[in-house]
Amino acid sequence: MRMKVSDYIVQFLVEKGIKHAFGYPGGSVTNLMDSFRKRENEISAHVVYHEQAAAFAACAYAQITGHPGVAYATGGPGATNLITGIGNAYYDSVPIIFFTGNVNTYEAKNGQNIRQRSFQESDIISVVSPLTKFCAYVSTPEEIRYYLEKAYFSSMEGRPGPVLLDLPMDIQRAQIDTEGLKSYVQTPNVMPDSKAEFKDKIVQLLSQAKSPSLILGNGIKISHTTELARKAVENLKLPYVTSMISFDVLADNPYYYGFLGAYGMREANFVAAKSDLIISIGSRMDIRQVGAIRENFAKNAVIVRIDVDVEELKYKVHQDENSFCMEAKDALQIMAGLKIDRDYSHWLSVCTQIRKKLHGYDDRLPNEYVRKISHLIQENSVITADVGQNQVWVAQSFIPKAGQQVLFSGGMGAMGYAFPAAIGAYYGSNGKAVCCICGDGGMQMNIQELQYLARERIPIKIIVMNNNALGMIRHFQEMYFDNCYYQTNPSGGFTSPDFDKIAEAYGLEHMVITSPTEVERCKDIIYDDSPALIEIRIFEDTYVLPKLEFGKPNEDQWPTLDRKLYNELMNLN
């Protein structure tokens, strides 16, 4: 069968069950765009207003569905505009297939020692190779099946991540005989079967432990094993803490004691510090989670780590820790079926005392706003949070309901993620309610996508927490630069627009809130079927509290606890 290469690419995506792609038009992807048009009843190619937004939308689509997202861009600046989203997918283990256009093969520099031969020619493969699991320049039409199959497999196999195929224009429009194409022979990375060893070790350690706890990481969300995690927690009746971006992994669970780390909740850090056994599943246990001096984390605990990426396990927290390279699903299935003759009820009561004694200790006005907003957002909806102070407030104070998912940019920490991610999440969830929470800085990173909402009228609700500052950096300047707010406050050069007027210009429903008592007024807007922008104006300096100072153990965050209370909590047993 004869077929154009770009048609073959789109057919491949359709056959893989991918129903949505995101991109921006450009000269070197016009063939691919036209092929999407031919199959528009089977796959929708959504045109956003910046390539970075396309990448973030594809990330959220994949985070929701568990299937690869797809984003495309023209060559040169279009391809380089994808890079932040590619990095986001790489660090957060999100499977994405990126397609970039490039100049015709006969126009390319082809090894000549010059910077560029043709307009918008760029070597995107050299640029993105450190941020992708696989990337390739497709130099002949007959390679397309091999590269598509390898790209799809690579994006999903083991620890998921992004891949990229660079497609010259003449390759896209070339005709191929689909019957004779070389296929990719999949060679999965086979992990050692350590299930029996893991089970024996966990039974031994849990039988000896007096104060064990679990850390549930983003690997639980990536592998879509939330229900297995619930069964494991409730079977063993263990307290658990999470990484920040997986705080929503089990909604409203009595065994949950917060997310840990530098910006984590005090109760979570105290629970970890007082544990004599920590079982970490799918968490990188990076510096933000365990502190810069890694051996200070949970000094008296035996640590067991489960991760699908063996390289992560080489970056040890304790030199004598127990590590198992295995999938979260396998570890959780074992733990959900264990019978341990041990009663941890006293340890749970200690954890609950810690929670009660610290309740509300670091609450501030933004936390109150987030908590009240969370009460209004429907079950089974998706929440996207941006990066900065708003991200931490969401993790601290948003109270997840049944079926809700909260999406973050974790490792990359990219401002501007939340709004385009909300677009991808809407399509990935088959039209569920979506709420985007961001700061005034992050909102301006991809503010152009308001036109997408104006055009498509999809019911995304944007909540802008406007403190008229880059609050997290302003706080750094307060702590370390003698209150010199250069480039972060209006006095230093940073300002924000009137978002109410911006929304009006785009024809979007909008509202301004200036007090937590007014939040209830948002209910009708949040529940209707139209896009809307709600601006929360915060007139006081804002902080993310608590915060870990360099070199201190996680449980001793700033502002420093009264030493009497600190010692009381550490001595609870």
Side-chain angles (χ1 to χ4, degrees):
M1 179 181 177
R2 300 289 291 176
M3 182 181 286
K4 192 167 80 165
V5 167
S6 59
D7 291 344
Y8 182 86
I9 292 170
V10 175
Q11 176 175 289
F12 178 88
L13 299 177
V14 169
E15 289 174 351
K16 292 297 183 184
I18 297 169
K19 298 185 183 303
H20 298 275
F22 305 88
Y24 193 82
S28 64
V29 285
T30 49
N31 283 283
L32 185 62
M33 291 158 52
D34 192 58
S35 295
F36 277 122
R37 175 193 62 81
K38 295 174 185 175
R39 306 292 290 264
E40 60 185 351
N41 291 331
E42 299 163 281
I43 184 169
S44 298
H46 302 280
V47 179
V48 292
Y49 289 88
H50 193 285
E51 293 88 354
Q52 185 187 100
F56 285 148
C59 283
Y61 177 84
Q63 286 172 288
I64 290 293
T65 64
H67 300 295
V70 173
Y72 61 92
T74 196
T80 57
N81 280 345
L82 291 172
I83 291 172
T84 302
I86 294 171
N88 185 78
Y90 187 68
Y91 296 127
D92 283 1
S93 308
V94 182
I96 310 285
I97 302 173
F98 289 95
F99 295 105
T100 52
N102 215 325
V103 300
N104 294 303
T105 55
Y106 52 81
E107 296 175 311
K109 62 182 182 178
N110 291 320
Q112 295 181 66
N113 192 23
I114 55 177
R115 295 189 180 185
Q116 186 185 51
R117 183 180 173 191
S118 299
F119 175 67
Q120 290 191 337
E121 179 185 7
S122 65
D123 180 7
I124 193 64
I125 297 301
S126 295
V127 175
V128 303
S129 59
L131 293 173
T132 53
K133 290 187 68 181
F134 167 72
C135 58
Y137 175 84
V138 183
S139 58
T140 65
E142 291 73 26
E143 295 174 314
I144 192 61
R145 177 181 175 183
Y146 176 87
Y147 280 139
L148 280 173
E149 291 177 350
K150 183 172 182 178
Y152 182 90
F153 174 76
S154 299
S155 72
M156 296 289 286
E157 188 265 342
R159 183 177 180 180
V163 296
L164 184 145
L165 296 181
D166 194 30
L167 306 167
M169 287 186 287
D170 57 327
I171 300 298
Q172 292 179 53
R173 65 176 177 265
Q175 294 288 322
I176 51 172
D177 180 358
T178 61
E179 298 301 318
L181 297 178
K182 178 185 176 182
S183 64
Y184 171 68
V185 179
Q186 299 180 359
T187 53
N189 179 25
V190 180
M191 291 182 289
D193 185 358
S194 52
K195 297 189 195 71
E197 182 187 356
F198 171 74
K199 182 177 179 180
D200 290 344
K201 176 57 72 172
I202 290 297
V203 169
Q204 174 201 337
L205 293 174
L206 283 173
S207 298
Q208 297 169 348
K210 294 181 179 179
S211 52
S213 62
L214 303 175
I215 297 176
L216 303 183
N218 192 42
I220 307 291
K221 294 171 74 170
I222 293 167
S223 58
H224 294 262
T225 53
T226 296
E227 285 310 307
L228 266 179
R230 184 186 307 281
K231 290 176 182 177
V233 166
E234 293 177 354
N235 173 51
L236 297 173
K237 296 179 172 54
L238 294 181
Y240 73 92
V241 299
T242 68
S243 60
M244 185 172 71
I245 62 174
S246 57
F247 86 96
D248 62 321
V249 73
L250 298 180
D252 190 27
N253 194 289
Y255 298 104
Y256 178 53
Y257 289 88
F259 72 93
L260 54 74
Y263 289 102
M265 299 161 76
R266 291 187 196 266
E267 64 190 71
N269 286 328
F270 271 101
V271 167
K274 293 175 69 63
S275 296
D276 64 2
L277 170 64
I278 289 178
I279 304 168
S280 170
I281 305 174
S283 173
R284 292 189 299 117
M285 301 189 79
D286 64 357
I287 288 174
R288 279 283 182 100
Q289 291 174 33
V290 304
I293 304 174
R294 295 172 72 77
E295 59 269 23
N296 279 350
F297 177 77
K299 283 183 178 180
N300 300 316
V302 174
I303 294 180
V304 179
R305 294 177 64 190
I306 299 97
D307 202 293
V308 74
D309 186 345
V310 69
E311 297 302 317
E312 292 289 354
L313 297 173
K314 293 177 183 178
Y315 184 34
K316 295 181 179 295
V317 180
H318 293 178
Q319 288 306 306
D320 61 350
E321 67 191 29
N322 302 270
S323 59
F324 296 88
C325 185
M326 58 193 299
E327 294 191 15
K329 158 176 69 68
D330 295 330
L332 291 170
Q333 279 178 338
I334 290 168
M335 294 169 68
L338 288 181
K339 301 301 178 187
I340 304 295
D341 186 20
R342 193 85 174 177
D343 182 3
Y344 303 117
S345 56
H346 179 71
W347 164 232
L348 284 166
S349 73
V350 170
C351 296
T352 301
Q353 286 182 67
I354 293 171
R355 173 191 286 159
K356 287 179 179 177
K357 289 179 182 294
L358 292 172
H359 178 71
Y361 191 90
D362 296 298
D363 254 12
R364 297 294 187 274
L365 177 66
N367 297 93
E368 185 178 357
Y369 274 122
V370 169
R371 195 156 38 245
K372 286 179 176 290
I373 287 165
S374 73
H375 292 316
L376 298 181
I377 298 175
Q378 307 97 308
E379 291 184 352
N380 300 308
S381 56
V382 182
I383 298 89
T384 63
D386 214 75
V387 171
Q389 289 182 326
N390 61 91
Q391 180 183 42
V392 183
W393 296 330
V394 168
Q396 288 176 333
S397 300
F398 192 95
I399 303 170
K401 297 188 181 79
Q404 288 182 340
Q405 293 172 274
V406 185
L407 306 183
F408 291 114
S409 171
M412 192 68 168
M415 289 176 67
Y417 160 86
F419 182 19
I423 294 170
Y426 174 78
Y427 293 108
S429 64
N430 293 318
K432 284 185 178 180
V434 180
C435 180
C436 160
I437 301 176
C438 57
D440 49 313
M443 183 62 202
Q444 293 181 79
M445 289 282 186
N446 277 305
I447 199 169
Q448 75 284 339
E449 301 311 318
L450 288 173
Q451 184 58 32
Y452 188 93
L453 293 195
R455 187 186 82 211
E456 300 297 329
R457 307 304 298 177
I458 59 175
I460 290 174
K461 315 300 178 180
I462 304 165
I463 297 173
V464 180
M465 303 190 73
N466 182 8
N467 59 2
N468 206 31
L470 299 175
M472 192 166 273
I473 309 306
R474 182 196 57 76
H475 190 191
F476 286 173
Q477 292 170 327
E478 181 176 311
M479 293 181 70
Y480 305 118
F481 295 92
D482 196 27
N483 298 333
C484 179
Y485 301 132
Y486 182 60
Q487 299 182 354
T488 58
N489 264 11
S491 62
F494 176 83
T495 59
S496 294
D498 185 330
F499 290 103
D500 203 39
K501 290 181 179 178
I502 293 286
E504 185 176 347
Y506 281 98
L508 300 176
E509 193 173 0
H510 50 92
M511 177 181 288
V512 174
I513 299 295
T514 59
S515 166
T517 60
E518 299 176 3
V519 170
E520 189 68 24
R521 292 198 295 117
C522 302
K523 188 171 184 177
D524 290 342
I525 285 183
I526 287 176
Y527 274 74
D528 71 22
D529 291 329
S530 300
L533 189 151
I534 300 165
E535 180 187 0
I536 297 176
R537 293 180 181 168
I538 303 172
F539 301 103
E540 62 180 55
D541 287 347
T542 56
Y543 300 91
V544 168
L545 302 174
K547 180 182 185 299
L548 187 65
E549 294 179 89
F550 182 84
K552 287 196 171 183
N554 276 16
E555 64 273 16
D556 200 6
Q557 294 163 287
W558 183 89
T560 305
L561 280 180
D562 174 81
R563 290 298 90 177
K564 181 179 178 182
L565 175 58
Y566 177 86
N567 291 328
E568 180 186 350
L569 296 176
M570 289 302 292
N571 291 326
L572 280 173
N573 56 56

